[in-house]
Amino acid sequence: MALGKTGVAVTLLDPAKGHPIQTWEFNDRSQIRIGRGDGNDVVIGDPLVSRLHVELNKDPAGRWRVTSLGRNGTLVDGEPVVDSAPVRHGALMQLGANGPWMEFCEGQRASRGSETIAWSGASMEMPNVDQDLLHSEVSKIADGEQFKGLQQQAEEFKRSRGEDELA
C-alpha cells in the first residue's frame, strides 16, 4: 500500500529482528499522538509507554517534529529527545530506553511482509458480492460428500464426548 504525497506512516518494529509488526497510516494530518491510552492515534500496549508518550507535529514549513511527553523518554535514531526534535523519513524512534521501536515514514511506502496496516482517513468501501453466486457456491460445498463426512464425524465426536461427560 502506498501513501499519498502528504501521507505519514508509523510502524511498530519487532525488537529482536526489526521486522514490521503493525503500521498506522495517516493522510493530511498535522498531528499524530502515540501512547498507551485509548485516545491516541497509535495505541501501544506496553508498560514502558506512557498514556501519551509522543506527539508528532508538522510545522508550517511541512517538516515533522517529535515531542517527547513520556516519563521514560524518547530516543530518535539513538539520540534522546529533549522536549522536541526534528524527525525525518526513515527515523527510528524508541519509546523509553528499553521500550518499543517505531519507524517514521513520509511519502511513498510499500507494506512489508505480514504486518497489520491500519489507517486513519478515507472510509473503506466493501466490494459488491453477487448474493446468488455466493449462495450457489456455499450450497455446492455444503451438499458435497466431503462436507457431509465432516459433519458426520463431528456428530459422532459430540456423542462420544457426551457419553464420557456422563460417566
Side-chain angles (χ1 to χ4, degrees), residues 4 12 19-20 35 38-39 46 54 59-60 73 84 87 103 111 127-128 134 141:
L12 178 64
H19 296 168
D38 289 337
D46 186 298
V54 165
D59 68 19
S84 177
V87 64
E103 180 183 27
S111 65
N128 290 329
L134 178 64
I141 294 168

Side-chain angles (χ1 to χ4, degrees), residues 92-161:
L92 296 177
M93 299 182 294
Q94 188 176 17
L95 308 181
N98 296 310
W101 287 86
M102 305 192 84
E103 180 183 27
F104 175 83
C105 292
E106 274 188 282
Q108 297 294 318
R109 180 196 175 280
S111 65
R112 299 170 284 179
S114 59
E115 66 190 301
T116 302
I117 299 177
W119 66 90
S120 174
S123 62
M124 184 172 151
E125 284 189 41
M126 296 302 289
N128 290 329
V129 175
D130 181 337
Q131 294 296 320
D132 293 332
L133 179 61
L134 178 64
H135 181 70
S136 170
E137 293 299 314
V138 170
S139 294
K140 284 180 191 176
I141 294 168
D143 294 339
E145 292 302 315
Q146 187 175 10
F147 187 73
K148 287 180 180 177
L150 289 172
Q151 284 181 313
Q152 186 176 8
Q153 288 176 359
E155 288 300 321
E156 290 171 10
F157 180 71
K158 285 182 196 176
R159 280 194 296 277
S160 71
R161 283 192 58 200

Side-chain angles (χ1 to χ4, degrees), residues 12-133:
L12 178 64
L13 301 173
D14 179 309
K17 298 179 182 174
H19 296 168
I21 296 172
Q22 183 170 359
T23 297
W24 294 264
E25 295 183 351
F26 305 93
N27 286 316
D28 299 320
R29 296 285 297 271
S30 60
Q31 181 181 67
I32 300 166
R33 292 176 163 209
I34 302 171
R36 197 179 67 241
D38 289 337
N40 293 299
D41 302 303
V42 176
V43 178
I44 305 293
D46 186 298
L48 294 174
V49 175
S50 296
R51 281 187 293 271
L52 175 55
H53 199 102
V54 165
E55 275 186 359
L56 293 166
N57 293 291
K58 188 190 281 188
D59 68 19
R63 295 177 300 242
W64 285 90
R65 295 189 65 81
V66 60
T67 303
S68 180
L69 303 167
R71 72 168 183 260
N72 292 323
T74 303
L75 292 97
V76 173
D77 293 329
E79 296 294 321
V81 174
V82 179
D83 296 324
S84 177
V87 64
R88 59 169 179 70
H89 174 77
L92 296 177
M93 299 182 294
Q94 188 176 17
L95 308 181
N98 296 310
W101 287 86
M102 305 192 84
E103 180 183 27
F104 175 83
C105 292
E106 274 188 282
Q108 297 294 318
R109 180 196 175 280
S111 65
R112 299 170 284 179
S114 59
E115 66 190 301
T116 302
I117 299 177
W119 66 90
S120 174
S123 62
M124 184 172 151
E125 284 189 41
M126 296 302 289
N128 290 329
V129 175
D130 181 337
Q131 294 296 320
D132 293 332
L133 179 61

Side-chain angles (χ1 to χ4, degrees), residues 3-15:
L3 296 170
K5 286 184 177 180
T6 59
V8 173
V10 180
T11 301
L12 178 64
L13 301 173
D14 179 309

